[in-house]
Every structure is written in C-alpha cells, then in structure tokens.
Amino acid sequence: MSDLMSEMLWFPVAIIAVLLLAAMWMMWRAQSYQRVSGLPAGKIVYEDVSHLAHAPLNAPRHGLRGKPDYLLQTEDEALIPVEVKSSASPTSGQPHDGHVLQLAAYFLLIEEALDETAPYGLIRYRNRTLRIVNAPQLRSRLLNTLRRMRTQLTADDVRRNHTQTARCARCSVAHACDQRLVASG
Ligand code: SF4
C-alpha cells in the first residue's frame, strides 16, 4: 500500500475513534451522574441545570409555566419530573408541602405541554430521594392553591401564611411588607 493510501485511510479511522471515545465518555458521564444523584436509570430528556437548559413548559389554561430540574424517560417510556433540592429532607421523612405542590405543578405542565401523564415524580434532597405519586387528590389541591393565589393577587390585604423568619430574611419584597418577621434592612 502506498504512503498516500495509508494516510488517506488513517484519517477516517482516527475520526471514528474520536467519535467513539466521545460517545463512550458521554454515556459514562450520564450513568455516573445518575449513580451519584440517586436518580433511577433512564434517559434525561429535559433539564434546567446546565448549558443544555430547555425552554419552560407552559399551561396557559391554568396560567402556569415552569421548568423541572430534570425530566427522565424511564425504560418503559414514562416521563418522570425530578426536582433537586440542596437541603436535607425534613426529619419527619415527609417532603415539604411546597415541594410536593411544585411537583404537582410539573405533573400538570407535562400533561398540558407534552400531552403525557407522569405516574410519579421525585424530590431529590441532599440525603434521600422521595417519590410523589401523581394522584387526583394532589391535582385538586394544586388547582385550589392556584385559585387561592389568583384571588389573593387582586386582594387589598393578604395575610402572611407562615412563621419562617429565614423565608422573610431572603424575601425580595420584605422592605415593602408590613408582616415581615425580620427587621427591614
Ligand atoms: S417578608 Fe412578607 S412577603 Fe416576604 S416572605 Fe415574609 S411575610 Fe412573605
């Protein structure tokens, strides 16, 4: 074989080898991410935590718009929303109510925007992952909450609904709130 022929063959072989290595590296990265994060096996089809971030999901009928941290597609093709929290799970072993409602909102968004039904969702706390079932009672609770929020948006006076000073300390409208639990900076 002439030197020219050898050089012509070497180039495509090198390209194929590089592509194979890149594919293997991406597969290893996805699998190790799922091992470390405690997520079930499946394909990540949507994410909001990196340069790959997708557009928000919309449910205009309900005035709802949002981005789950991840949407996983399991081996049986189910779509599973995953919300990742940096905090540890509550010591009660039960998720925070607000986090459950957040998943309920993703269930609704997945139905409206993607025409799919998620059987359950996951809240990934720092120390454990909790599974929330997409149940009709949860949907009713979400719709009631959305109704209440819409009413309160137009009300003259809305009472504080929590006793968490940390929440007021982080609040961006604390300076204008007469029910704040911390001194206004
Ligand atoms: S400062 Fe007012 S609006 Fe902000 S979290 Fe506290 S009570 Fe709610």
Side-chain angles (χ1 to χ4, degrees), residues 60-124:
R61 218 153 53 92
H62 299 278
L64 205 57
R65 184 179 158 89
K67 297 162 93 174
D69 285 334
Y70 295 99
L71 269 186
L72 289 182
Q73 188 172 45
T74 58
E75 279 157 11
D76 54 1
E77 305 276 300
L79 276 185
I80 310 297
V82 181
E83 188 62 22
V84 180
K85 301 294 178 195
S86 54
S87 57
S89 76
T91 45
S92 65
Q94 296 302 313
H96 290 298
D97 206 41
H99 297 168
V100 175
L101 282 175
Q102 200 175 354
L103 270 188
Y106 295 145
F107 293 148
L108 179 60
L109 284 166
I110 289 167
E111 278 173 37
E112 295 278 316
L114 305 176
D115 208 16
E116 298 274 351
T117 301
Y120 65 90
L122 298 169
I123 305 175
R124 172 64 187 154

Side-chain angles (χ1 to χ4, degrees), residues 12-83:
V13 168
I15 297 264
I16 289 167
V18 168
L19 288 175
L20 267 174
L21 277 173
M24 283 165 66
W25 180 79
M26 284 169 76
M27 274 172 59
W28 171 82
R29 192 169 160 265
Q31 282 169 358
S32 59
Y33 168 75
Q34 280 172 331
R35 262 197 312 274
V36 170
S37 67
L39 299 181
K43 197 165 63 172
I44 295 171
V45 292
Y46 178 107
E47 67 167 298
D48 184 39
V49 293
S50 73
H51 63 286
L52 295 174
H54 291 73
L57 303 177
N58 273 308
R61 218 153 53 92
H62 299 278
L64 205 57
R65 184 179 158 89
K67 297 162 93 174
D69 285 334
Y70 295 99
L71 269 186
L72 289 182
Q73 188 172 45
T74 58
E75 279 157 11
D76 54 1
E77 305 276 300
L79 276 185
I80 310 297
V82 181
E83 188 62 22

Side-chain angles (χ1 to χ4, degrees), residues 159-162 164-165 167-182:
R159 312 307 301 168
R160 172 167 39 79
N161 65 353
H162 66 88
Q164 298 163 27
T165 44
R167 200 158 146 188
C168 292
R170 289 196 307 268
C171 178
S172 60
V173 295
H175 61 281
C177 175
D178 62 4
Q179 293 180 49
R180 62 180 174 263
L181 294 169
V182 291

